[in-house]
Amino acid sequence: MIDTPGRALIEFTDRAVGWVREQGVATGLLTLHVRHTSASLMIQENADPEVQRDFERFFARLIPDGDPLFRHTCEGPDDMPAHVRSALTSTSLSLPVIDGRPALGTWQGIYLYEHRAMPHRRRIAVHLLGD
Amino acid sequence: MIDTPGRALIEFTDRAVGWVREQGVATGLLTLHVRHTSASLMIQENADPEVQRDFERFFARLIPDGDPLFRHTCEGPDDMPAHVRSALTSTSLSLPVIDGRPALGTWQGIYLYEHRAMPHRRRIAVHLLGD
Amino acid sequence: MIDTPGRALIEFTDRAVGWVREQGVATGLLTLHVRHTSASLMIQENADPEVQRDFERFFARLIPDGDPLFRHTCEGPDDMPAHVRSALTSTSLSLPVIDGRPALGTWQGIYLYEHRAMPHRRRIAVHLLGD
């Protein structure tokens, strides 16, 4: 469960890594699935915060809120853009677990990408396999 | 095996959920992989059919059929756009299974996205782990 | 470990298929995860090399190097475009293994997509489940 402040990339690497450690699995597979159609998962650079702002700039240009192309606007101008942003990024992530940790690269962080303008409570389903 | 009517989002949530139920797996992991390069898998909103039409409008604008940018046109003006649409969405999906069901959110449906203009027969490879 | 020549799609289907064969797994699940934020994984057509060049043309138009939209430019004009290209394609792939082989379709190849202009050494984490 992650509470979001509205549109933003929210890193939860430490929480995921800590949870895997608690399960005592040395070698295995971690799967994360976001149970929403207007938020997504992304693995990206976690060193320079400007990267997150650049992602936001890119998606805002590619899929602008209120784009007259879209007719599914019942929940507002950010509704359909949030679905498209979700489809272009990822709903689920699969990560090998090696030596008790998800096999992330040096600069990789795990993010929930909230695509709606308003705050939301987002649920992520988790599966861990291994021993 | 899914027969498509040409370019469209085809929902098969019920079939996937029913198949998992028949296997008698309570907790596990469901993996789907589409064995084609011009059709893809997508988890999206299944409440308002306008969402599917908006997806089509978006992709048709971003990657228009017959775009002179493309040289791989041997199978027609929708050939390379179909490959690009596939790459921007998903070839495989991983879904935790909880209480005997894929852990989909309330509004999430599982779709095959046919990107070619003509009807096709599409095969999806499935793996289910658990007990 | 894959050494890349700079921006390119590098196919490694044979290596992945051969590795699975050596493990002696008949039925299972193969997961690949690229441990970088400026290279990604993609399953695409491996018949016509023009497809790869068309992908490059498409991404170069959608996310041009040196785009003044981006501020994260410390590593050069291809830095942030590489992150965006990675996010729009895939960081991880999940492939059912059937009859001792990843269940790829006839025309599907597994590619590492190097998004940086310069050569890099890229690491891919692998997990194989099954018996």
Side-chain angles (χ1 to χ4, degrees):
Chain A
M1 199 93 82
I2 295 180
D3 286 311
T4 72
R7 190 169 281 174
L9 280 153
I10 297 116
E11 186 171 8
F12 64 103
T13 315
D14 288 350
R15 205 166 140 186
V17 168
W19 183 82
V20 169
R21 193 187 304 118
E22 284 167 25
Q23 310 308 307
V25 163
T27 303
L29 182 67
L30 173 68
T31 303
L32 303 173
H33 169 77
V34 65
R35 303 177 80 164
H36 305 274
T37 60
S38 52
S40 59
L41 299 174
M42 207 160 90
I43 290 186
Q44 260 304 323
E45 227 237 42
N46 64 357
D48 178 4
E50 201 66 58
V51 170
Q52 300 173 36
R53 289 189 284 269
D54 276 350
F55 267 111
E56 189 45 43
R57 289 176 192 117
F58 177 79
F59 281 114
R61 183 175 70 182
L62 184 65
I63 319 153
D65 286 348
D67 193 320
L69 183 76
F70 298 132
R71 311 230 173 124
H72 171 77
T73 54
C74 41
E75 287 189 41
D78 61 326
D79 185 359
M80 192 63 211
H83 293 318
V84 176
R85 285 158 168 253
S86 293
L88 296 184
T89 50
S90 295
T91 302
S92 57
L93 294 177
S94 296
L95 280 166
V97 173
I98 301 176
D99 296 333
R101 283 178 59 92
L104 294 165
T106 314
W107 308 108
Q108 287 185 317
I110 310 175
Y111 291 88
L112 173 74
Y113 204 157
E114 169 66 61
H115 298 300
R116 299 300 309 272
M118 299 290 289
H120 280 76
R121 173 157 291 184
R122 302 302 195 177
R123 289 170 305 140
I124 297 170
V126 180
H127 183 266
L128 179 63
L129 159 88
D131 43 38
Chain B
M1 201 92 83
I2 295 180
D3 286 311
T4 72
R7 191 169 279 172
L9 279 152
I10 298 116
E11 187 172 8
F12 64 102
T13 317
D14 289 351
R15 206 165 139 186
V17 169
W19 182 83
V20 169
R21 193 186 304 115
E22 284 167 24
Q23 310 309 309
V25 163
T27 303
L29 182 66
L30 173 70
T31 303
L32 304 171
H33 169 76
V34 64
R35 301 177 81 164
H36 306 274
T37 60
S38 53
S40 59
L41 299 174
M42 206 161 89
I43 291 186
Q44 260 302 325
E45 227 236 43
N46 65 356
D48 178 4
E50 201 65 58
V51 170
Q52 299 173 38
R53 290 190 283 270
D54 277 350
F55 266 111
E56 189 43 44
R57 288 176 193 116
F58 176 78
F59 282 114
R61 182 175 71 183
L62 185 65
I63 318 153
D65 286 348
D67 192 320
L69 184 75
F70 298 131
R71 312 229 172 124
H72 171 76
T73 55
C74 40
E75 288 189 39
D78 61 324
D79 185 359
M80 192 61 212
H83 294 317
V84 176
R85 286 159 168 252
S86 293
L88 296 185
T89 50
S90 293
T91 302
S92 58
L93 294 177
S94 298
L95 279 165
V97 172
I98 302 176
D99 297 333
R101 284 178 59 93
L104 294 165
T106 313
W107 309 107
Q108 286 185 317
I110 309 175
Y111 291 88
L112 173 73
Y113 203 157
E114 170 66 61
H115 298 301
R116 299 300 309 270
M118 299 290 289
H120 281 76
R121 173 158 291 183
R122 300 304 194 176
R123 289 170 305 140
I124 296 170
V126 179
H127 183 266
L128 179 64
L129 158 89
D131 42 39
Chain C
M1 199 94 80
I2 296 181
D3 285 311
T4 72
R7 192 170 278 174
L9 280 152
I10 297 117
E11 186 171 7
F12 64 102
T13 316
D14 289 350
R15 204 165 140 187
V17 168
W19 183 82
V20 169
R21 192 187 305 117
E22 284 166 25
Q23 311 307 310
V25 162
T27 303
L29 182 67
L30 173 69
T31 303
L32 304 172
H33 169 77
V34 64
R35 302 177 81 163
H36 305 274
T37 60
S38 53
S40 59
L41 299 174
M42 207 160 89
I43 290 186
Q44 259 303 324
E45 227 236 40
N46 64 357
D48 178 4
E50 202 63 59
V51 170
Q52 299 173 36
R53 289 189 283 268
D54 276 351
F55 266 110
E56 189 44 44
R57 289 175 192 117
F58 177 78
F59 282 114
R61 182 175 70 182
L62 185 65
I63 317 154
D65 286 348
D67 192 321
L69 183 75
F70 298 131
R71 312 229 173 125
H72 171 77
T73 55
C74 39
E75 288 189 40
D78 61 324
D79 184 0
M80 192 62 212
H83 294 318
V84 176
R85 286 158 169 252
S86 294
L88 296 185
T89 51
S90 293
T91 301
S92 59
L93 294 177
S94 297
L95 279 165
V97 172
I98 302 177
D99 297 332
R101 281 178 60 91
L104 293 166
T106 313
W107 309 108
Q108 287 185 318
I110 310 176
Y111 291 88
L112 173 74
Y113 204 157
E114 170 66 63
H115 299 299
R116 299 301 307 273
M118 298 291 288
H120 281 76
R121 172 158 291 185
R122 302 303 195 175
R123 289 170 306 139
I124 297 171
V126 179
H127 184 265
L128 178 63
L129 159 88
D131 42 38

